[in-house]
Amino acid sequence: MRISELAGRKMLISWLVRWSMCPDDRLGYDPTIHRVIGQSDADVGGNNNGDDIDDIMYTIDCFDDKSKKITTYITNRTITSADDMLGRHTRCFIATRCSDSDTESSGEEVVIKDAWPPAKYPPLKDPRDEIKLLRKIHDTFKKGTPDHIYPDMIVGGHVRLNPKDKSAIDTTDAIFNAAGVDRIDPPSDSDVRSTWNQQPLCAHRRIVMSPVGHSLKKVQNEAELIIVLVEAMQCYSSVLGRCGVLHRDISANNILVVRDGEDTIPRGLLIDFDFAIKVDTQERSARPA
């Protein structure tokens, strides 16, 4: 396209007009997250516990795959933000459920995990889907509450770009289809992609959980660290033994500190079941070779 030529200028103007009239979701905006106008930071309750407070307040629509319902939460606290071009693009928010006015908070604080993990199967058929594994943990522990705390999923589902069409899941396939291009699976034996549309299948999912935890840096001494680590390992063993879910990603970043009050004994919370798998009864008791 040559701007110096009449045909080139017409083409540029045509692109600009189409761009201005393009729906927000095709421009890359998430239509399930909305900026709240005219609200102050004080409108969201709770203690920030040293977390950064965002200048902007948002409402986040969270779709549940099981109930097919949308629950809206409000937040102005981002605790994890994905700024890299590669990876799972995970963002985490501390939020509260919206009241009837849709712009005020109501209820206890929760964590919203928003991620784009790669998948080998379609979203609703993926056996390693974190939503399915957390739902299994929730249903199992609901029948018999363990002594340790665990990530209790309240809402779990794949993001729908169009609330009226609840079958339209936000995936890389949907993005390519909107552009009229077919996505091609990249070669499994190489990270080098020969064409721009060689991209992995990724599905946009959003999980609402409790309780709210904080980094291991929040422990005050070695005794508290031991308490937190022991309870996190109790959760690991219990989730494997009772739920048949093997975590497979134990790290300092995936163990959080939970406090009911400023001077209370800390609890240990094991999180992030992105790499977890379901194992059968025989595999649970088998020793490594």
Side-chain angles (χ1 to χ4, degrees):
M1 180 178 64
R2 294 178 179 272
I3 304 298
S4 59
E5 298 177 358
L6 178 59
R9 291 195 291 272
K10 286 183 177 181
M11 184 177 293
L12 175 61
I13 294 173
S14 174
W15 283 359
L16 291 175
V17 170
R18 292 181 181 181
W19 187 21
S20 65
M21 299 176 65
C22 187
D24 286 349
D25 59 306
R26 292 196 178 187
L27 292 174
Y29 293 103
D30 189 337
T32 63
I33 298 180
H34 312 274
R35 179 174 178 174
V36 178
I37 306 298
Q39 297 291 306
S40 65
D41 293 344
D43 292 326
V44 174
N47 180 12
N48 64 13
N49 288 302
D51 296 323
D52 292 334
I53 300 295
D54 299 338
D55 294 332
I56 304 172
M57 189 177 299
Y58 298 95
T59 60
I60 304 177
D61 297 332
C62 300
F63 180 83
D64 188 82
D65 284 343
K66 185 176 182 180
S67 67
K68 310 299 181 185
K69 295 180 179 179
I70 296 175
T71 306
T72 302
Y73 293 83
I74 188 167
T75 179
N76 66 342
R77 291 161 63 189
T78 304
I79 54 177
T80 302
S81 181
D83 298 323
D84 297 332
M85 291 294 293
L86 303 177
R88 288 172 288 167
H89 303 279
T90 301
R91 296 178 297 171
C92 292
F93 309 90
I94 296 180
T96 54
R97 185 172 178 173
C98 281
S99 62
D100 294 338
S101 67
D102 288 337
T103 58
E104 295 180 359
S105 62
S106 174
E108 65 176 345
E109 290 185 337
V110 296
V111 174
I112 299 177
K113 178 180 179 180
D114 185 279
W116 276 84
K120 295 182 178 180
Y121 304 90
L124 300 181
K125 297 181 179 180
D126 189 353
R128 290 180 51 184
D129 183 6
E130 185 180 17
I131 296 171
K132 293 181 180 178
L133 298 179
L134 288 176
R135 199 179 303 280
K136 172 65 175 177
I137 294 171
H138 170 83
D139 293 343
T140 301
F141 288 160
K142 188 177 180 180
K143 300 175 183 177
T145 305
D147 294 332
H148 58 78
I149 57 176
Y150 60 95
D152 190 16
M153 188 176 73
I154 302 168
V155 177
H158 294 83
V159 175
R160 267 65 172 178
L161 292 178
N162 184 355
K164 295 180 180 180
D165 182 7
K166 296 181 179 179
S167 64
I169 298 177
D170 192 15
T171 65
T172 46
D173 277 344
I175 295 172
F176 278 97
N177 289 339
V181 181
D182 292 330
R183 181 188 64 84
I184 302 175
D185 288 320
S188 58
D189 57 347
S190 175
D191 293 332
V192 179
R193 297 166 189 167
S194 58
T195 61
W196 68 272
N197 57 331
Q198 282 188 338
Q199 301 291 336
L201 172 62
C202 295
H204 189 184
R205 64 188 180 211
R206 190 169 291 155
I207 303 172
V208 181
M209 300 171 287
S210 68
V212 175
H214 302 276
S215 166
L216 285 177
K217 296 178 181 179
K218 297 293 184 179
V219 297
Q220 298 176 1
N221 49 54
E222 288 106 344
E224 286 195 350
L225 177 61
I226 293 173
I227 292 173
V228 169
L229 295 180
V230 167
E231 184 163 13
M233 292 304 97
Q234 288 176 338
C235 178
Y236 170 87
S237 299
S238 183
V239 166
L240 176 60
R242 293 183 56 186
C243 309
V245 176
L246 181 62
H247 189 280
R248 302 202 313 163
D249 191 22
I250 302 296
S251 69
N253 291 331
N254 291 338
I255 299 176
L256 300 182
V257 182
V258 177
R259 294 183 187 272
D260 294 330
E262 194 170 326
D263 298 323
T264 59
I265 298 176
R267 310 290 302 272
L269 177 65
L270 181 63
I271 63 166
D272 199 349
F273 284 75
D274 270 335
F275 293 102
I277 58 173
K278 194 82 169 63
V279 295
D280 58 30
T281 304
Q282 185 175 0
E283 290 175 316
R284 299 179 208 180
S285 58
R287 298 183 64 181

